[in-house]
Amino acid sequence: MDPQRERIQADLRGLISGQVRCDDAFVQMYSTDGSIYQVAPLGVVRPRNAYDVQVAVKYAADNMLPIHARGAGTGLAGESLGPGLVMDFSQGMRRIVSVNHDHVVVQPGVVLGQLNRYLAGFGKQFAPDPATGGVTTVGSVVSLDASGSNWLRYGSARRHVRNLQIVLADGESFEAGRHPVTDDPYLDPVPRRRELVRRLAELIQREESVIRANQPKSWVNRCGYQLHDVLADGQLDLAKLIAGSEGTLALITQLSLAIEPIPKQRGLCLLFFDRLESAATAASEAKSLGVSACDLMDRRILSLARDLDPRYAQAIPREAEAMLLVEQQAEESSHVLETLQQVAMRWQRRRRLAFGFHLALSPDEYDLFRRLTRRVSPTLFRVQGSERPVPFIEDVAVPPDVLPEFLVKMQNVFKAWQITASFFAHAGHGQIHVRPFLDLTSTADVNKMPELATQLYEEVLAVGGTISGEHGCGLSRTWYVKRQTGALYDVLREVKRIFDPQNLLNPGKVVADVPQPLTKNLRLAEAESTDRPLTETQIADNPPKEKVDLHLVWRQLPQIEADSCNGCGRCRTMSPEMRMCPIFRYAPAEESSPRAKANLMRSVLQGELPASSLASEQLKEIADLCVNCHQCRLECPAEVDIPKLMIEAKSQYVVANGLDTTDWFLARLDSVSRWGARFGPIANWILHTRWTRWVLEKLTGLAQGRKLPRLQSTTFMRRADRNRLTRPARRTGGKVLYFVDVYANWYDTQLAESLVAIMQHHGIAVYVPAGQLQSGMARISLGDVERARKHAAKNVAILSEAVRQGYEIVCTEPSAALCLTQEYPSLLDDDDARLVAEHTTDACAYLWKMHEVGRLELDLRPINLTLGYHQPCHLRALDVGSPGESLLRLIPGLSVRRIERGCSGMAGTFGLRRDNYRASLRAGWGLISALRDPLIDLGTTECSACKIQMEQGTTKPTIHPLKMLALAYGLMPEIEALLTARGEELLVT
């Protein structure tokens, strides 16, 4: 940390109660957002309240430090980036203060999606619906005047702003709403506000003709400050003026927003077109038809959508060149249906524009297709190759009636530059989100960007459009604001001077004396390879990077993997529709997000941070916030493998520093269990006695309060040896190799025996190799890669030979299956590891495949119970669906309730640590509380760690689906006896 940042951090920590971080890691995490830019700030301030904001702004003003407000950091134009102090409102200022019948009062860090889920309990909503609503903050929505698909019905955010609590550039605070233009202190008792309103009113009145003459004809406009409608009837609406100002005029510390009733009925009509121009022609009529939204998607996006979900593939014809997604909202379902049918009939039969349509009227189907509009842009990053969809001209808007011919002109611009582009449009109101595919490692492609933007913007302005419809100006478009606004630009500069004479609030955005060129401060990607020698000047400007000795097998450079993160922020979601990162959900800070981890690894691998920082405690603390659950890898639109990046980071630390006592203990649970089994009664007494657990916690860091399973008197491997399962079968036909995990071997031998009994019931031979070791998933997750590699090599040697003999590998522990399929190929660069990965599956998935081909016996006895099923994260990561749940549903009389409350919070060994115990319970509280429902008799899950967490907060046992299946087959009567002894009345016939 340089002396200036060190001084700023020390000064501000003594002044405010919130967090202040100026260290290298935080500077790098906040140097990027959802845009293509990178600017390292001096530091990060996370205020807890409005007072913190005032004090920090006063300090910044006294020291001439710029302030850059930031919410979720999802902006596409670099609005929240800058070289000063970033003020992150998303962690400490996210309270919903109050709700009234027509408005809500919130702090700026509240996530829009969370706000609307809360308001839904009152039958209300904050109506603007930007595509990033699941992660973006309300403060950002207002600061950018965001709108979204439903602009036709609800307009943009500034329409719904009632008043704002703001802090000016000198630290003074007051409420901004609609105020009289007066010098009378009785009409407005705040002197600074009176002066501000008076000066603004004088400016607007003086320049009224200029303001009117320079308004675009487009229905939406986010270029510059909106002055045309803030002064009326002797009153000036300060709140409306600040909305959309991108944090350049004032900082918002509290918002009062109008809310609307949630429409009782919603529906969608998907219309398919064989020509893009036909879709645009139809969309130009959307407003006159009274629909709520009309979005357009091009062929490339439709192709990606079909690959994304089979339900999209079924509904969207392959011959469709474009699709309009038309929405209607109303109080009566008949009104929704009638409107959508009229739209479909008009555009298909009367106008002959569309060749087909699909109605989505059920809530599930509505959510499915509406979700597509929120996944469109990030999903484009799944396209293979060095070219990526680059957001820098992505927010143009034109009058809807000229949209068809404008799309032709836009395509001609791209053709002239030989550039492929994809776009998604809120076509009903003429807004186009276009993404050219460019390679930012190519100088030629980077050099194209300014001229391409200039030509496209000339076409936009020629038809009366705007260069920004809702994403703001930021670093992408401020260079072009003067070109659009003309004579109005000087008026905008005067507005900025009135609010912020020292130019400290987000300087360089909206209006600037020296705006940043489009290609300055680009977040340049790492080139995959280069054959061109560097010149002496290039070598001087780009000194050799400190090489990182990689510990994992990488198919492509890890810096390329890290750079695939486009910063969209989807990993910050709290939506119940997505599992995503369990750690971020209970601790919503930037460093907890997968995006931050990709940022840090990219910074190290590209030389922005020294390679030695991977061995520092600071980066280890952030890396430890990844629990290797793989949910971000599944949910990430760009499919960035954050877990692998973090395993690499942890491994670098472990090689340099070794494991701490607790990690050393947890990485060797197999050895600990082996020694404990030798002294079974004594070990169980130690593990289940209060004072011995206290001692154990002090010695090993194992949480005293964590309920632990009991060691069995005889391990399953010993029983398998007695039953001759450790010898390969000589017969032909179905045969499986059972890879036994730590839990089934030492703690739940009944589970392993259930699997064997079920397989033998179906005539499948079971082989349990005596030489197999634990999978090593705990070691890998903790970064003990080198020791895990030795385990993997021994296991792969045994397992690959068995696969060649015709065995399929099955695991009763999803973590073990994931380790063999996902982690071993990253540890061992050989064909045997890949062979093992290809032939390994979860045991329930194996049985479900048997059912799908008609080979599973259905002689199941009824069991009259209600089970609460939790799907483990590692099972989801295997991408096999929910086979255990599906098998349970085959049992007559058994009722299965799926509990969708996200991660259990146990996260393997994470929840065993004393330091993580309370955090683990907070993360899993949704699951625990759901299990307490008196209508649920038992819990069920495939994961042993999830089972421990599920039994932590309830007296109900949690049982593996295989054990229930064995019970229903009548193969394991001891399971019935065990459950009956625990108070469960099993009605089995």
Side-chain angles (χ1 to χ4, degrees):
M1 191 188 311
D2 63 52
Q4 182 188 15
R5 287 194 278 133
E6 191 171 4
R7 176 180 58 79
I8 291 170
Q9 179 173 283
D11 289 348
L12 281 172
R13 283 182 174 178
L15 295 174
I16 69 173
S17 59
Q19 296 181 10
V20 182
R21 298 291 297 267
C22 297
D23 49 86
D24 293 339
F26 268 69
V27 164
Q28 288 301 320
M29 281 193 297
Y30 282 84
S31 66
T32 64
D33 57 2
S35 72
I36 57 175
Y37 298 104
Q38 179 170 7
V39 182
L42 283 171
V44 181
V45 179
R46 291 170 168 172
R48 288 187 179 176
N49 48 50
Y51 176 77
D52 278 359
V53 177
Q54 285 184 264
V55 171
V57 170
K58 285 180 181 177
Y59 175 86
D62 291 342
N63 292 274
M64 295 298 292
L65 301 175
I67 292 278
H68 312 280
R70 179 177 174 122
T74 57
L76 295 176
E79 306 93 333
S80 63
L81 302 181
L85 292 175
V86 169
M87 191 165 292
D88 180 1
F89 289 94
S90 68
Q91 186 188 27
M93 297 186 67
R94 49 192 177 90
R95 287 181 56 230
I96 299 174
V97 179
S98 64
V99 178
N100 294 283
H101 73 282
D102 63 348
H103 72 280
V104 62
V105 179
V106 298
Q107 291 181 325
V110 174
V111 174
L112 177 59
Q114 285 183 291
L115 173 62
N116 276 333
R117 282 192 291 276
Y118 180 78
L119 291 176
F122 302 89
K124 302 285 187 176
Q125 63 174 343
F126 178 66
D129 62 335
T132 57
V135 293
T136 192
T137 60
V138 174
S140 296
V141 171
V142 171
S143 292
L144 292 177
D145 189 25
S147 51
S149 296
N150 282 294
W151 184 91
L152 292 174
R153 182 181 177 97
Y154 297 113
S156 65
R158 70 196 300 264
R159 180 193 295 184
H160 304 268
V161 173
R162 297 179 58 152
N163 54 67
L164 306 170
Q165 196 70 32
I166 63 170
V167 176
L168 297 179
D170 59 0
E172 186 162 347
S173 176
F174 56 76
E175 184 179 279
R178 191 172 178 84
H179 306 286
V181 181
T182 180
D183 289 324
D184 190 340
Y186 291 101
L187 295 177
D188 188 345
V190 182
R192 181 65 184 283
R193 187 170 62 200
R194 288 201 309 273
E195 178 197 6
L196 200 64
V197 168
R198 179 182 54 78
R199 292 178 64 188
L200 288 168
E202 289 174 356
L203 175 66
I204 293 171
Q205 289 170 342
R206 184 175 68 246
E207 304 292 346
E208 182 181 2
S209 59
V210 175
I211 294 170
R212 288 184 177 178
N214 289 279
Q215 291 303 306
K217 298 176 183 177
S218 58
W219 294 359
V220 292
N221 178 35
R222 269 289 297 105
C223 182
Y225 304 125
Q226 303 308 301
L227 304 175
H228 62 285
D229 62 350
V230 296
L231 181 63
D233 302 324
Q235 292 189 318
L236 189 138
D237 198 331
L238 267 183
K240 262 191 172 183
L241 176 56
I242 291 168
S245 63
E246 299 182 39
T248 62
L249 302 182
L251 300 184
I252 302 170
T253 58
Q254 188 166 283
L255 309 91
S256 177
L257 306 170
I259 53 179
E260 308 253 353
I262 298 175
K264 293 180 180 178
Q265 304 295 331
R266 297 178 180 182
L268 295 172
C269 181
L270 282 62
L271 292 113
F272 311 110
F273 301 81
D274 54 15
R275 293 177 65 247
L276 188 62
E277 292 78 10
S278 298
T281 300
S284 66
E285 302 176 351
K287 186 174 178 63
S288 64
L289 296 175
V291 300
S292 300
C294 180
D295 292 335
L296 186 153
M297 300 180 192
D298 72 354
R299 177 182 56 80
R300 184 180 296 272
I301 290 173
L302 297 183
S303 178
L304 282 171
R306 284 190 290 265
D307 294 338
L308 196 65
D309 192 310
R311 293 172 293 181
Y312 294 146
Q314 186 176 4
I316 302 172
R318 289 199 170 272
E319 60 270 26
E321 287 291 314
M323 180 181 81
L324 285 182
L325 193 151
V326 179
E327 178 176 352
Q328 179 62 312
Q329 303 177 4
E331 295 302 301
E332 300 292 336
S333 58
S334 58
H335 184 195
V336 171
L337 178 60
E338 182 181 351
T339 302
L340 296 179
Q341 285 179 333
Q342 287 178 354
V343 167
M345 292 304 103
R346 175 176 176 79
W347 291 344
Q348 183 182 13
R349 295 186 180 178
R350 296 180 195 170
R351 299 292 310 277
R352 305 286 184 182
L353 296 170
F355 67 78
F357 69 92
H358 174 83
L359 291 177
L361 301 175
S362 70
D364 289 344
E365 200 173 13
Y366 169 88
D367 289 340
L368 172 70
F369 288 105
R370 178 44 77 194
R371 200 178 305 131
L372 179 58
T373 63
R374 299 193 290 271
R375 300 166 73 179
V376 162
S377 297
T379 303
L380 287 172
F381 277 78
R382 296 193 178 192
V383 174
Q384 299 299 310
S386 59
E387 293 183 342
R388 289 283 184 266
V390 181
F392 68 102
I393 49 173
E394 84 294 338
D395 195 35
V396 299
V398 298
D401 59 336
V402 302
L403 183 62
E405 58 259 40
F406 175 77
L407 289 181
V408 174
K409 294 177 181 178
M410 184 178 74
Q411 289 174 314
N412 289 337
V413 170
F414 291 128
K415 287 177 183 177
W417 285 94
Q418 297 183 326
I419 290 174
T420 300
S422 182
F423 70 89
F424 164 72
H426 302 307
H429 55 277
Q431 187 169 353
I432 309 167
H433 299 313
V434 60
R435 299 286 185 99
F437 282 77
L438 297 170
D439 180 2
L440 293 186
T441 67
S442 164
T443 303
D445 275 11
V446 171
N447 290 339
K448 289 178 184 178
M449 292 168 62
E451 284 299 318
L452 176 64
T454 298
Q455 287 190 22
L456 180 65
Y457 290 159
E458 285 176 356
E459 297 290 355
V460 170
L461 299 179
V463 296
T466 176
I467 64 175
S468 177
E470 68 168 333
H471 290 169
C473 301
L475 299 175
S476 295
R477 285 176 282 278
T478 297
W479 179 272
Y480 299 94
V481 171
K482 188 172 184 179
R483 185 169 302 184
Q484 173 172 326
T485 56
L488 179 60
Y489 191 74
D490 288 336
V491 181
L492 302 179
R493 292 176 64 184
E494 183 62 26
V495 171
K496 172 68 172 174
R497 280 195 291 267
I498 291 172
F499 274 94
D500 180 16
Q502 292 182 299
N503 194 27
L504 296 179
L505 296 180
N506 216 9
K509 320 290 172 56
V510 186
V511 294
D513 292 332
V514 186
Q516 168 181 301
L518 174 61
T519 55
K520 185 179 179 182
N521 292 316
L522 287 180
R523 176 163 60 104
L524 295 177
E526 183 78 6
E528 294 198 25
S529 64
T530 178
D531 299 322
R532 299 186 301 273
L534 295 176
T535 65
E536 291 183 7
T537 303
Q538 288 173 319
I539 293 173
D541 293 340
N542 300 279
K545 301 169 187 173
E546 187 179 350
K547 185 178 179 182
V548 177
D549 185 18
L550 300 174
H551 298 161
L552 299 178
V553 176
W554 292 91
R555 303 300 170 198
Q556 63 176 0
L557 292 174
Q559 50 264 49
I560 295 175
E561 183 73 42
D563 199 72
S564 296
C565 172
N566 63 331
C568 70
R570 298 284 170 177
C571 51
R572 292 175 57 100
T573 182
M574 297 284 189
S575 170
E577 299 171 355
M578 302 173 71
R579 181 83 59 106
M580 208 29 110
C581 178
I583 304 302
F584 181 83
R585 284 176 182 261
Y586 85 80
E590 180 64 23
E591 62 269 25
S592 300
S593 70
R595 175 180 67 181
K597 299 171 181 64
N599 256 339
L600 286 177
M601 282 301 288
R602 181 180 50 80
S603 297
V604 172
L605 295 167
Q606 293 189 5
E608 293 158 358
L609 288 176
S612 58
S613 62
L614 287 173
S616 68
E617 292 294 332
Q618 186 182 57
L619 260 67
K620 180 184 184 297
E621 289 176 3
I622 297 173
D624 282 346
L625 294 173
C626 174
V627 294
N628 200 31
C629 70
H630 285 259
Q631 298 313 289
C632 59
R633 179 177 62 84
L634 289 181
E635 303 278 11
C636 174
E639 298 181 312
V640 183
D641 196 345
I642 300 296
K644 187 173 181 179
L645 289 169
M646 287 301 95
I647 290 169
E648 182 70 63
K650 292 176 186 179
S651 177
Q652 299 286 332
Y653 177 88
V654 170
V655 167
N657 302 285
L659 294 169
D660 64 25
T661 301
T662 305
D663 285 350
W664 186 94
F665 176 80
L666 295 175
R668 290 163 172 79
L669 284 180
D670 56 333
S671 301
V672 172
S673 300
R674 184 181 300 111
W675 280 99
R678 294 182 180 181
F679 309 97
I682 298 175
N684 280 324
W685 176 76
I686 292 173
L687 291 175
H688 297 89
T689 302
R690 185 174 180 180
W691 73 268
T692 55
R693 285 294 301 276
W694 180 85
V695 173
L696 195 62
E697 180 180 85
K698 298 301 179 185
L699 292 176
T700 67
L702 183 67
Q704 180 185 1
R706 176 63 65 187
K707 292 182 182 179
L708 298 175
R710 301 185 73 86
L711 282 158
Q712 299 296 301
S713 56
T714 305
T715 67
F716 171 73
M717 291 300 295
R718 287 185 183 177
R719 299 184 187 193
D721 186 52
R722 284 202 300 261
N723 294 326
R724 300 186 178 183
L725 298 176
T726 54
R727 304 175 187 178
R730 296 182 179 179
R731 60 176 178 160
T732 57
K735 52 185 183 179
V736 298
L737 183 153
Y738 178 28
F739 186 78
V740 187
D741 59 279
V742 172
Y743 188 79
N745 187 39
W746 277 287
Y747 298 94
D748 194 359
T749 57
Q750 213 173 58
L751 168 58
E753 289 168 353
S754 295
L755 173 68
V756 173
I758 292 171
M759 292 297 180
Q760 292 177 343
H761 182 66
H762 288 84
I764 298 172
V766 180
Y767 171 39
V768 185
Q772 63 177 289
L773 304 173
Q774 67 151 322
S775 66
M777 180 61 101
R779 292 180 184 272
I780 294 168
S781 297
L782 294 169
D784 195 6
V785 166
E786 291 309 314
R787 291 181 179 85
R789 199 188 319 274
K790 295 176 183 178
H791 272 64
K794 290 180 181 180
N795 282 332
V796 165
I798 296 170
L799 301 177
S800 60
E801 182 60 31
V803 170
R804 291 188 182 95
Q805 295 175 16
Y807 284 94
E808 289 293 313
I809 304 166
V810 298
C811 309
T812 52
E813 181 66 55
S815 294
L818 185 66
C819 191
L820 269 59
T821 58
Q822 185 78 21
E823 309 296 359
Y824 277 15
S826 295
L827 296 176
L828 305 169
D829 188 14
D830 61 44
D831 292 336
D832 282 356
R834 289 184 281 274
L835 181 68
V836 168
E838 291 167 3
H839 289 271
T840 298
T841 187
D842 173 74
C844 289
Y846 182 89
L847 292 171
W848 184 249
K849 287 180 182 177
M850 288 177 57
H851 173 68
E852 290 179 323
V853 297
R855 292 177 50 214
L856 187 74
E857 298 290 342
L858 297 178
D859 53 336
L860 300 162
R861 300 181 299 167
I863 300 178
N864 296 321
L865 280 177
T866 298
L867 304 184
Y869 173 77
H870 165 71
Q871 185 182 36
C873 291
H874 282 176
L875 182 67
R876 289 187 80 239
L878 289 170
D879 197 22
V880 292
S882 187
E885 179 186 9
S886 300
L887 289 171
L888 289 172
R889 295 187 186 279
L890 297 177
I891 301 174
L894 194 66
S895 176
V896 182
R897 292 189 180 185
R898 185 163 187 162
I899 301 174
E900 284 289 359
R901 297 297 181 89
C903 177
S904 72
M906 193 65 182
T909 58
F910 175 84
L912 294 175
R913 288 184 65 110
R914 170 188 56 205
D915 298 341
N916 302 332
Y917 176 58
R918 291 185 180 276
S920 170
L921 291 179
R922 286 200 299 271
W925 182 247
L927 173 60
I928 292 171
S929 59
L931 277 173
R932 291 180 175 180
D933 186 336
L935 297 178
I936 294 178
D937 299 308
L938 300 172
T940 182
T941 189
E942 293 92 340
C943 174
S944 59
C946 294
K947 168 185 165 69
I948 292 173
Q949 181 80 306
M950 292 164 75
E951 293 181 339
Q952 180 74 32
T954 69
T955 58
K956 300 172 184 177
T958 292
I959 190 167
H960 197 289
L962 287 177
K963 294 170 76 170
M964 292 303 298
L965 195 64
L967 177 61
Y969 279 130
L971 303 174
M972 299 289 290
E974 53 269 38
I975 297 176
E976 182 177 354
L978 176 65
L979 292 177
T980 303
R982 296 192 61 162
E984 301 300 328
E985 295 182 5
L986 290 178
L987 302 179
V988 183
T989 43

